[in-house]
Amino acid sequence: MNIISIQNNLGIPKYRQIVYSIEKAIEEKKLKKDEKLPSINKICIAFTLSRDTVLQAYEELKKRGIIYAIPGKGYYVKSLEVTIKQRIFLLFDELNIFKEDIYNSFMESIGKNVQVDIFFHHFNYQMFRKLITESNGNYTKYIIMPTNLPNTAEIIKTLPVNEVFILDQTNLALESFPAVFQNHQKDIYDALQKGKSHLNKYKKLILIFPGFREPEGMKKGFENFCADYAFEYEIIPQFKGREIHTGETYIIPNDRDLVDVIEKSKLQNLKLSEDFGIISYNETALKKIVGNGITTISTDFEAMGRILAEMVLKGKKGQIENKCTLILRNSL
């Protein structure tokens, strides 16, 4: 018990004094890894504290990864690294270059003394639920990318309400959580509107929309644009097995389909921007040079990471729509 120091009228909450005491004991090597801490009941009795006060201190240390609990036995020292002030659970859908841009930008902006553990659910609801359930209570903040998985709100709402941030896609069921998101329905509509003068020379717009990973808003925005501006259009789940016809423009969310379309155009001896057009989703360095330049609809993934880090560090609430733009190149 001599590792705990509590003073009245100090102006510091007593749960915080418990946290400081344990941090100091670890730094001074009075506590070693896997050493048992004083029980909640003993601290309550010794300092005339409520159980909730002591539990709050231990839960904070647990979320930061400094201590761990064994049910029925007590709390133990897990890590000697007490400089970690925040431990963040980051759940992405999959690993790709765009998520890498978000992650790198987030890590550059979040600063030191923060540990970020990254996980991937791969668009699998069971994996999504498992990762969140097993991580609940072990982190100070939770950043979740729910994508288009159904019923994710039910799982997310089991987490501490003030510690959750939503990334990339949100919906009405998640509107109470702070978020940095893309408005896919508005983004594709505005981008096509911006490129309308180039699209007017084509007979038909074709959206390749497998629907597995792609947000539904993308499809709705495309349909609304075509209806409002009287474009003939088609939505197909995949490109393979299809011939390209003169006068078609393909809107392509997935880079695998982009490769298939370009390869097919070469086999058919078709020229980009003359015989057919391409609009790809998400900017990469290669799209600046492939086919003398591929037109893209893209959000700023680096900005998304920076904004997210600022929200976490400053405890900002609200939902922030990340900007998206059409980058016109030779393929249109």
Side-chain angles (χ1 to χ4, degrees):
M1 292 299 298
N2 60 356
I3 66 169
I4 306 294
S5 175
I6 301 290
Q7 298 181 46
N8 294 319
N9 304 318
L10 192 62
I12 300 174
K14 290 180 180 178
Y15 88 91
R16 179 62 61 187
Q17 293 186 49
I18 297 172
V19 171
Y20 290 157
S21 295
I22 292 172
E23 288 178 337
K24 185 177 179 182
I26 291 173
E27 288 176 333
E28 294 177 351
K29 299 182 180 180
K30 293 178 182 178
L31 282 173
K32 300 177 181 178
K33 190 172 181 180
D34 296 318
E35 188 169 347
K36 188 175 183 179
L37 297 170
S39 71
I40 291 175
N41 288 337
K42 285 183 178 180
I43 298 176
C44 289
I45 294 169
F47 298 101
T48 319
L49 299 174
S50 71
R51 182 177 178 83
D52 287 344
T53 297
V54 184
L55 185 60
Q56 185 177 3
Y58 276 13
E59 283 299 302
E60 178 177 319
L61 290 166
K62 180 185 171 188
K63 290 176 181 179
R64 289 167 53 194
I66 295 172
I67 69 174
Y68 65 97
I70 299 178
K73 291 187 176 181
Y75 290 84
Y76 299 80
V77 177
K78 181 178 182 179
S79 172
L80 303 180
E81 185 52 77
V82 297
T83 59
I84 300 298
K85 300 303 180 184
Q86 292 222 57
R87 190 162 174 253
I88 298 174
F89 172 85
L90 176 58
L91 180 57
F92 279 164
D93 47 18
E94 63 180 354
L95 178 62
N96 56 38
I97 190 171
F98 317 118
K99 306 306 183 314
E100 187 176 340
D101 287 344
I102 295 173
Y103 177 78
N104 289 337
S105 177
F106 178 77
M107 293 302 295
E108 287 175 6
S109 304
I110 200 64
K112 298 178 180 179
N113 303 330
V114 177
Q115 176 183 324
V116 179
D117 294 342
I118 186 169
F119 302 87
F120 301 92
H121 60 71
H122 301 289
F123 302 91
N124 183 302
Y125 178 78
Q126 285 71 32
M127 179 61 69
F128 181 89
R129 180 176 59 187
K130 179 177 182 291
L131 289 170
I132 289 180
T133 300
E134 291 180 352
S135 300
N136 197 344
N138 296 327
Y139 292 87
T140 58
K141 295 290 185 291
Y142 301 84
I143 298 169
I144 312 293
M145 187 177 282
T147 64
N148 58 358
L149 287 173
N151 305 317
T152 53
E154 298 174 6
I155 306 301
I156 293 172
K157 287 178 180 179
T158 64
L159 295 168
V161 65
N162 293 320
E163 297 172 3
V164 176
F165 296 83
I166 304 300
L167 181 62
D168 193 38
Q169 292 187 52
T170 188
N171 54 60
L172 291 176
L174 296 171
E175 63 182 355
S176 62
F177 294 104
V180 184
F181 70 98
Q182 296 185 70
N183 186 337
H184 292 279
Q185 182 171 336
K186 178 176 177 289
D187 289 346
I188 191 170
Y189 188 99
D190 290 350
L192 294 176
Q193 192 177 51
K194 182 179 178 181
K196 183 177 176 296
S197 61
H198 297 265
L199 291 171
N200 285 334
K201 67 180 181 180
Y202 297 99
K203 298 176 183 177
K204 187 177 184 180
L205 307 185
I206 300 170
L207 173 64
I208 304 176
F209 191 81
F212 176 59
R213 293 176 171 84
E214 295 74 21
E216 190 67 21
M218 187 184 294
K219 178 181 176 183
K220 291 179 181 177
F222 173 75
E223 291 174 325
N224 290 344
F225 172 81
C226 293
D228 288 349
Y229 292 98
F231 275 95
E232 182 183 350
Y233 73 93
E234 185 178 358
I235 299 173
I236 59 175
Q238 62 179 8
F239 176 78
K240 283 187 177 180
R242 186 183 180 95
E243 294 286 320
I244 300 172
H245 298 287
T246 301
E248 293 178 338
T249 287
Y250 288 84
I251 294 89
I252 311 173
N254 190 298
D255 284 352
R256 293 185 183 90
D257 289 312
L258 174 63
V259 172
D260 289 341
V261 171
I262 292 174
E263 286 183 340
K264 187 67 174 181
S265 70
K266 290 180 178 179
L267 290 173
Q268 294 183 229
N269 293 316
L270 298 175
K271 292 184 178 180
L272 262 175
S273 80
E274 292 183 19
D275 300 318
F276 76 109
I278 287 178
I279 301 175
S280 177
Y281 246 85
N282 297 324
E283 177 70 355
T284 66
L286 280 175
K287 291 174 187 177
K288 298 177 183 179
I289 56 175
V290 171
N292 293 321
I294 301 295
T295 296
T296 60
I297 299 172
S298 186
T299 193
D300 188 336
F301 293 104
E302 291 184 3
M304 187 175 282
R306 288 195 303 272
I307 294 168
L308 179 64
E310 184 180 3
M311 291 182 75
V312 171
L313 289 172
K314 296 183 179 180
K316 288 187 175 181
K317 304 300 178 183
Q319 297 200 334
I320 299 174
E321 182 178 322
N322 207 50
K323 293 181 180 180
C324 184
T325 188
L326 176 73
I327 303 172
L328 281 165
R329 296 197 180 100
N330 184 60
S331 69
L332 205 61

